[in-house]
């Protein structure tokens, strides 16, 4: 009986040290080749009609490898979309109503509470001198390890000015693989904002957004020092040709 107890204790000790060794190796990024890669991330986007009006839906899916379930990796999602254009000291809204998204995560099908999504607003330049700035909403969600995918619904209610406009919707997904360094550590894009015929000063015009995003900085800000990869997708969402008020 004593020998069996000692054998069991020895097995538990060995198992415990093995688990700690695997966890430490993952934190150092030594096991990244055994983790999900950016090629395995599925992302798609489309406009849909809901009971509350038009919305642009972005869905993602990433199946973590068995090894990743043993470690405390944490992913994050950064979603960007324009909410207005800053012209001569004033902002002309593009999206009607309060800017916000609805998020459902899988496999649980749980609708995420609004307090779990972090919102900020940032102003991005457009080419040239003394030109308008594009106001972009940034929504950040820290993805728990038990979440393998989700559906983000962005309401795209048009204002009287923005009817028939086409706006960029940008998704950046960070996957934690341990170690140091985020790849790429910086995103530099030039998405276009095609404004509708009624937009003040820029009717039927196009604004190129000088979009830059320091992925290393923002990942560290929300998750601490992490290593991993970032995958980016840019979609074009067409706003309704009737305003939110009819």
């Amino acid at each position: 009986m004593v020998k069996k107890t000692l054998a069991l204790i020895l097995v538990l000790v060995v198992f415990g040290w093995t688990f700690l060794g695997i966890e430490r190796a993952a934190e150092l990024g030594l096991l990244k080749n055994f983790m999900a890669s950016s090629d395995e991330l599925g992302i798609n986007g489309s406009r849909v009609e809901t009971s509350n009006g038009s919305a642009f839906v972005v869905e993602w899916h990433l199946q973590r490898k068995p090894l990743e379930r043993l470690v405390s990796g944490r992913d994050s999602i950064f979603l960007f979309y324009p909410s207005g254009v800053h012209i001569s000291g004033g902002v002309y809204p593009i999206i009607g109503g309060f800017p916000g998204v609805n998020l459902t995560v899988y496999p649980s099908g749980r609708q995420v509470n609004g307090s779990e999504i972090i919102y900020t607003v940032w102003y991005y330049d457009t080419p040239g001198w003394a030109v308008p700035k594009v106001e972009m909403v940034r929504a950040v969600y820290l993805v728990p390890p038990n979440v393998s995918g989700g559906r983000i619904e962005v309401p795209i209610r048009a204002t009287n000015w923005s009817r028939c406009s086409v706006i960029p919707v940008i998704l950046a997904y960070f996957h934690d693989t341990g170690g140091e360094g985020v790849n790429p550590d910086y995103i530099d894009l030039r998405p276009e904002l095609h404004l509708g015929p009624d937009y003040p000063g820029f009717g039927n015009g196009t604004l190129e957004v000088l979009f830059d995003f320091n992925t290393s900085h923002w990942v560290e800000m929300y998750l601490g020092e992490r290593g991993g990869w970032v995958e980016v997708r840019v979609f074009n969402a067409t706003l309704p040709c009737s305003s939110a008020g009819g």
Side-chain angles (χ1 to χ4, degrees):
M1 186 68 178
V2 174
K3 290 182 178 180
K4 290 183 179 180
T5 302
L6 291 174
L8 178 60
I9 293 173
L10 180 60
V11 169
L12 292 175
V13 169
V14 171
F15 178 81
W17 279 108
T18 301
F19 177 80
L20 290 174
I22 293 174
E23 186 176 39
R24 182 56 178 162
E27 290 174 356
L28 294 173
L30 302 177
L31 303 177
K32 63 176 63 177
N33 292 335
F34 300 95
M35 298 184 179
S37 68
S38 58
D39 294 337
E40 297 171 275
L41 174 65
I43 304 177
N44 60 73
S46 61
R47 174 177 156 173
V48 301
E49 298 301 323
T50 72
S51 58
N52 295 319
S54 300
F56 191 82
V57 171
V58 179
E59 294 183 288
W60 89 90
H61 180 267
L62 180 67
Q63 189 63 51
R64 290 180 171 87
K65 299 294 180 67
L67 177 65
E68 298 183 78
R69 298 171 185 171
L70 300 177
V71 298
S72 57
R74 194 74 186 264
D75 293 0
S76 58
I77 281 181
F78 302 89
L79 181 81
F80 306 82
Y81 60 94
S83 56
V85 177
H86 192 277
I87 307 172
S88 301
V91 176
Y92 292 86
I94 293 174
I95 302 294
F98 181 79
V101 303
N102 300 313
L103 172 59
T104 303
V105 293
Y106 306 130
S108 66
R110 180 178 73 90
Q111 185 162 354
V112 172
N113 190 292
S115 62
E116 298 177 54
I117 304 172
I118 306 165
Y119 292 99
T120 54
V121 173
W122 208 260
Y123 291 91
Y124 290 90
D125 291 328
T126 54
W129 181 80
V131 290
K133 294 180 181 291
V134 176
E135 180 184 85
M136 298 277 282
V137 174
R138 178 172 61 213
V140 181
Y141 176 63
L142 308 181
V143 184
N146 62 345
V147 169
S148 61
R151 170 189 167 98
I152 307 172
E153 188 177 290
V154 184
I156 50 173
R157 296 182 292 270
T159 66
N160 290 331
W161 297 309
S162 65
R163 291 176 292 193
C164 299
S165 296
V166 180
I167 65 171
V169 177
I170 304 170
L171 180 81
Y173 188 97
F174 167 75
H175 181 59
D176 185 357
T177 60
E180 298 179 355
V182 177
N183 183 34
D185 63 351
Y186 195 83
I187 298 170
D188 187 6
L189 302 173
R190 297 293 181 268
E192 292 183 343
L193 173 58
H194 302 280
L195 295 166
D198 302 318
Y199 206 84
F202 297 94
N204 287 325
T206 297
L207 292 177
E208 186 182 47
V209 184
L210 303 181
F211 178 88
D212 61 336
F213 183 59
N214 188 328
T215 53
S216 294
H217 169 76
W218 292 108
V219 166
E220 181 176 349
M221 178 176 177
Y222 290 110
L223 296 174
E225 292 189 13
R226 302 269 177 161
W229 50 258
V230 173
E231 190 70 13
V232 181
R233 294 284 193 281
V234 180
F235 302 96
N236 292 314
T238 303
L239 271 60
C241 289
S242 59
S243 64

